[in-house]
Amino acid sequence: VAHSQERTTSADLENMAALSSPAMMASSLTSQPFASSAASEVPAYLATTEAPPMMDPSAQKEKRAKEPVESELIYEGMVSYGNWQVFGNGPECKLYFAGIEYNRHSWGHAIGAQLDYVAEVLPFVLLSQPAKLNYYGLKRSNNYVFVPGAGLSPIGIRFQWFSKRKIKPYLEIKRGMVGFTQKALSPNATYENFSFESSMGAQVMMNERWGLRLGLFNDFHFSDFFLVGTNPGLDVMNANLGLSYHFNK
């Protein structure tokens, strides 16, 4: 009996060794039924070894850089229809100008409005003032003369609401200088003066690129800020009308 048990045990050990041999394991793994079953159980998204495509960060920056910035040119004209003595003493004077204004969407949004940088060039400025003025800018004659000049406002900001719609209300502020061919508002004042403009109105789009600028409630102020002994200054209410052309549409 003992010999029989020993023979049985040795036989079992040989069978187990044969089954665990590398050749037998390779044969069982490559058999057709197991391979087809394993293949059918592997999900499709695990069967591929390709990594998903990724966009290069430099390509993303280049794409953002190619996006056009909204900008426009406005061919404008201004006519004053009244004046008041708030910061200036200029009596019964009138002011007219024509020029070009540039707007560029540079500063995002605030208080629900698009913020634009503004610059303005005024090659034509015409001041109507009394023919005789005293040291303080008070008139001493009922006759009037025209004094030509020019202006430049390189610093400005525009708040524009509903920028994607046909009618766009806006509020605009500009700072710059204006100069005349003779001393303005007083014989003891200066040729050059600092200017400040504030305006509000609406822009009405006629088509994709062209629009009308209707600025009916505006103030234009200029004075010499006491660079000399007298500073008469002038504040005029005015209407500013223009034709705008939009780029990057």
Side-chain angles (χ1 to χ4, degrees), residues 74-78 97-101 120-124 241:
I74 301 177
Y75 306 93
E76 60 176 346
M78 185 273 281
F97 70 63
I100 299 175
E101 180 181 293
E120 181 181 63
V121 178
L122 302 175
F124 171 79
L241 306 177

Side-chain angles (χ1 to χ4, degrees), residues 230-243:
T230 182
N231 181 31
L234 178 66
D235 285 281
V236 293
M237 298 175 286
N238 62 83
N240 187 307
L241 306 177
L243 182 66

Side-chain angles (χ1 to χ4, degrees), residues 84-96:
W84 59 82
Q85 297 181 5
V86 180
F87 301 105
N89 296 325
E92 302 177 16
C93 295
K94 295 183 180 180
L95 191 67
Y96 312 90

Side-chain angles (χ1 to χ4, degrees), residues 22 85 115 122 148 170 223:
Q85 297 181 5
L115 300 184
L122 302 175
Y170 71 87
S223 63

Side-chain angles (χ1 to χ4, degrees):
V1 174
H3 290 293
S4 175
Q5 290 179 349
E6 289 178 2
R7 286 196 300 270
T8 303
T9 303
S10 61
D12 293 338
L13 291 174
E14 291 177 359
N15 292 333
M16 292 175 63
L19 290 173
S20 60
S21 64
M24 182 62 72
M25 292 177 67
S27 175
S28 61
L29 288 174
T30 56
S31 60
Q32 184 64 29
F34 179 79
S36 60
S37 175
S40 62
E41 293 177 359
V42 176
Y45 67 89
L46 292 178
T48 179
T49 59
E50 296 181 1
M54 297 183 65
M55 184 173 288
D56 188 1
S58 60
Q60 292 180 346
K61 292 181 180 179
E62 184 179 355
K63 182 179 179 181
R64 287 194 297 266
K66 289 182 179 179
E67 293 179 358
V69 179
E70 296 179 31
S71 59
E72 63 182 284
L73 280 180
I74 301 177
Y75 306 93
E76 60 176 346
M78 185 273 281
V79 177
S80 64
Y81 54 78
N83 67 305
W84 59 82
Q85 297 181 5
V86 180
F87 301 105
N89 296 325
E92 302 177 16
C93 295
K94 295 183 180 180
L95 191 67
Y96 312 90
F97 70 63
I100 299 175
E101 180 181 293
Y102 173 72
N103 296 269
R104 178 184 173 89
H105 179 38
S106 302
W107 297 314
H109 296 77
I111 60 174
Q114 174 177 301
L115 300 184
D116 299 335
Y117 166 74
V118 179
E120 181 181 63
V121 178
L122 302 175
F124 171 79
V125 177
L126 191 64
L127 171 66
S128 173
Q129 67 175 24
K132 291 183 180 181
L133 295 158
N134 68 4
Y135 179 86
Y136 299 101
L138 300 177
K139 75 173 185 176
R140 292 293 180 262
S141 171
N142 291 325
N143 297 322
Y144 284 80
V145 295
F146 289 104
V147 183
L152 174 66
S153 297
I155 303 172
I157 184 172
R158 180 179 70 176
F159 296 80
Q160 182 174 260
W161 288 268
F162 310 117
S163 57
K164 302 301 181 183
R165 298 185 183 181
K166 184 175 182 180
I167 300 178
K168 312 173 185 181
Y170 71 87
L171 173 65
E172 194 171 84
I173 299 172
K174 291 174 281 190
R175 295 297 304 268
M177 297 194 71
V178 58
F180 297 96
T181 56
Q182 71 180 57
K183 294 180 178 180
L185 306 179
S186 169
N188 301 95
T190 59
Y191 292 92
E192 299 84 14
N193 292 267
F194 298 96
S195 65
F196 176 81
E197 295 179 67
S198 61
S199 60
M200 59 181 177
Q203 186 172 147
V204 181
M205 298 301 298
M206 298 186 295
N207 55 42
E208 188 180 37
R209 290 193 178 274
W210 292 95
L212 291 175
R213 204 260 287 279
L214 307 174
L216 302 178
F217 307 100
N218 312 301
D219 172 71
F220 191 101
H221 167 85
F222 73 82
S223 63
D224 60 30
F225 282 11
F226 284 103
L227 293 179
V228 294
T230 182
N231 181 31
L234 178 66
D235 285 281
V236 293
M237 298 175 286
N238 62 83
N240 187 307
L241 306 177
L243 182 66
S244 63
Y245 178 81
H246 293 253
F247 298 94
N248 302 324
K249 286 290 187 180

